Amino acid sequence: AGLAAGTISESARRAWRGRKPSNDSKGGDSSSPAAAESIIPGDSIFMTEANAERLAVALCRMRGAALKLGQMLSIQDESVIPPQVQRALERVRQGADVMPADQLEKTVESHLGVGWKDSLTRFDPEPLAAASIGQVHLATVRDPDDPEGARSLDVCMKIQYPGVARSIHSDIDNLMRLVSLTDILPKGLYVEHAVAVAKEELTLECDYEYERESQTRMARLLEDDPHWHVPRVIPALCSEGVITTEYAPGVAIDKAADLPQDERDYIGTQLLRVTLRELFEFRFMQTDPNFANFLYDSPTRRLTLIDFGAAKEFPKKFVDDYLRMVVACAERDRKGLIDTSISLGFLTGDESPVLMDAHAEAGFQVGRPFAAEGVYDFGAERDMTRRVAGLGKVMLKHRLTPPPREAYSLHRKLSGAFLACMRIGARVPARTMLREMYEKYEFGEEEAESEEEEAANTA
């Protein structure tokens, strides 16, 4: 109601001053160059400073839903979200509410039982971190792998805010009603499609049993990797709303920007390498690119991967075509890029030449790290995001279809990996890694095996 009142007030103010609201398409000259080029409303009557403040307060009440939808809408270009909304989302990220001590006690007790502290030798009531759907506390337990029970183990207990799982869908619906009353997002975002995917992802992220299974699975997949560590799960202290894992030392990888160049190169190389392994080898990926989910311990040079609530498995055919598309981007193969984009569902094949050109050029820009022989200097090539942003506005205006469902989480992770490498100024042999991955990749293997098994069963 406050947002609506603020909008009416601003409309009246502009009318009094003899100025028409810019989101009134009937009142403006739609044939003017400015109108023709406008993708993101820059002068919406909704987005006054007062309404921006009201929006921030509203988003804070719907913290998990707001952050997830913000992630979904900005996977291709953060500039599609007006700066006032970006600032509001940043306040949401920084303004996590913390459960009072008595509520925390009751919440954990409801999940783990009355004597949940009996297996702990220490529990820190002050949270180590507070996120969109839960908060993390440090604790110490007797190491379950020690048969004598003499060894201690530091752990992290992630505890979900009460009621967040029940309210997540209604929060997203309320957020969408708020968005639908405004003119703050461009039409080409296909917001409804993003909302459907956001609901699916948030439902999984609220299920800590799914996260526990995903973390255990990734630990097995990476057990042969000398560079990466996945903390083990402590099953006795896990439930649908609590997950307890081994504590891992280290700092978020973006804090490595001041380390020597060789360490930064090592971090960037291993980050991109594990991302390629997740997609093209495992077809199972941790898709939350928050820098704090990738820890680096300088004394041991060990990297740790955490937070598997958004882990996702990708279909074999999708991964086959996606690898072909990445290679086409690296080789500046326009036909290959367009063909695989149609196969994947990024394009319909009926798009205008303007859209096709913008799509191809955006692919070539994103493929630049994989096109460079030797090492690619992410620190010296920070203009990639600016170039893609300009092309993204054209694509939003002319696109005929939303991206495939898999693209939301995948592109969030890939863009996060690139951004991390830029942030720390890493030099990475990206082309060599892609070539090695492509040479050992087996296309269509899963489908072929399934057909053979089906034929054998029929016989």
Side-chain angles (χ1 to χ4, degrees), residues 96-403:
D97 291 327
V98 174
M99 283 186 278
D102 58 338
Q103 184 185 42
L104 174 66
E105 183 81 22
K106 291 177 182 176
T107 299
V108 182
E109 188 175 292
S110 69
H111 288 291
L112 300 180
V114 176
W116 67 273
K117 282 187 177 179
D118 293 347
S119 60
L120 306 181
T121 58
R122 177 181 68 96
F123 179 81
D124 189 345
E126 290 298 318
L128 175 68
S132 57
I133 61 175
Q135 60 193 50
V136 179
H137 291 259
L138 285 175
T140 303
V141 301
R142 297 178 185 87
D143 191 338
D145 288 351
D146 179 15
E148 298 180 0
R151 189 170 61 222
S152 295
L153 180 70
D154 291 332
V155 297
C156 292
M157 297 183 67
K158 183 161 69 171
I159 302 158
Q160 190 172 123
Y161 300 133
V164 70
R166 293 191 302 272
S167 67
I168 209 73
H169 281 219
S170 60
D171 280 351
I172 290 180
D173 290 337
N174 289 336
L175 187 57
M176 282 311 302
R177 277 191 281 272
L178 177 63
V179 169
S180 68
L181 291 172
T182 72
D183 192 26
I184 60 175
L185 296 175
K187 300 290 188 285
L189 276 176
Y190 290 93
V191 177
E192 296 80 5
H193 193 267
V195 165
V197 178
K199 285 183 176 180
E200 291 178 6
E201 290 198 1
L202 275 171
T203 299
L204 278 182
E205 288 183 41
C206 289
D207 184 354
Y208 285 179
E209 291 179 347
Y210 171 80
E211 180 172 354
R212 179 184 67 184
E213 294 168 0
S214 298
Q215 183 157 340
T216 302
R217 178 179 177 182
M218 187 62 79
R220 288 197 303 267
L221 291 170
L222 287 174
E223 63 183 356
D224 66 335
D225 194 315
H227 308 286
W228 284 94
H229 170 69
V230 176
R232 58 183 165 126
V233 174
I234 312 301
L237 291 171
C238 292
S239 71
E240 190 175 345
V242 176
I243 180 170
T244 303
T245 63
E246 169 193 14
Y247 169 78
V251 298
I253 52 173
D254 62 318
K255 306 301 183 188
D258 295 328
L259 291 176
Q261 184 67 54
D262 68 311
E263 281 196 79
R264 288 182 280 135
D265 294 346
Y266 169 78
I267 294 168
T269 297
Q270 298 310 323
L271 175 61
L272 192 55
R273 187 179 62 81
V274 80
T275 301
L276 294 177
R277 286 194 75 190
E278 286 178 290
L279 179 58
F280 299 125
E281 186 178 336
F282 309 149
R283 302 201 315 276
F284 181 69
M285 177 179 276
Q286 184 272 36
T287 64
D288 187 344
N290 188 316
F291 294 143
N293 291 337
F294 307 88
L295 305 176
Y296 177 65
D297 185 48
S298 186
T300 62
R301 289 175 72 94
R302 186 173 77 166
L303 289 150
T304 299
L305 184 60
I306 63 174
D307 198 340
F308 295 86
K312 184 175 178 61
E313 187 165 8
F314 294 92
K316 181 67 164 61
K317 186 179 186 308
F318 176 87
V319 176
D320 284 357
D321 287 338
Y322 201 88
L323 178 54
R324 293 186 180 103
M325 185 178 72
V326 173
V327 171
C329 291
E331 300 299 319
R332 296 189 67 86
D333 174 6
R334 189 180 191 279
K335 183 179 185 306
L337 171 55
I338 296 299
D339 289 347
T340 52
S341 295
I342 292 172
S343 177
L344 287 163
F346 288 101
L347 300 173
T348 66
D350 296 322
E351 283 81 4
S352 66
V354 171
L355 186 282
M356 290 289 196
D357 289 343
H359 180 84
E361 185 57 33
F364 297 154
Q365 289 297 326
V366 175
R368 284 164 59 190
F370 300 114
E373 291 290 353
V375 295
Y376 180 82
D377 190 340
F378 279 93
E381 301 289 345
R382 298 174 188 267
D383 64 334
M384 180 196 301
T385 54
R386 178 184 56 79
R387 294 185 185 186
V388 174
L391 296 164
K393 293 175 184 178
V394 176
M395 290 189 285
L396 282 174
K397 183 176 181 180
H398 296 280
R399 71 197 304 187
L400 300 179
T401 186

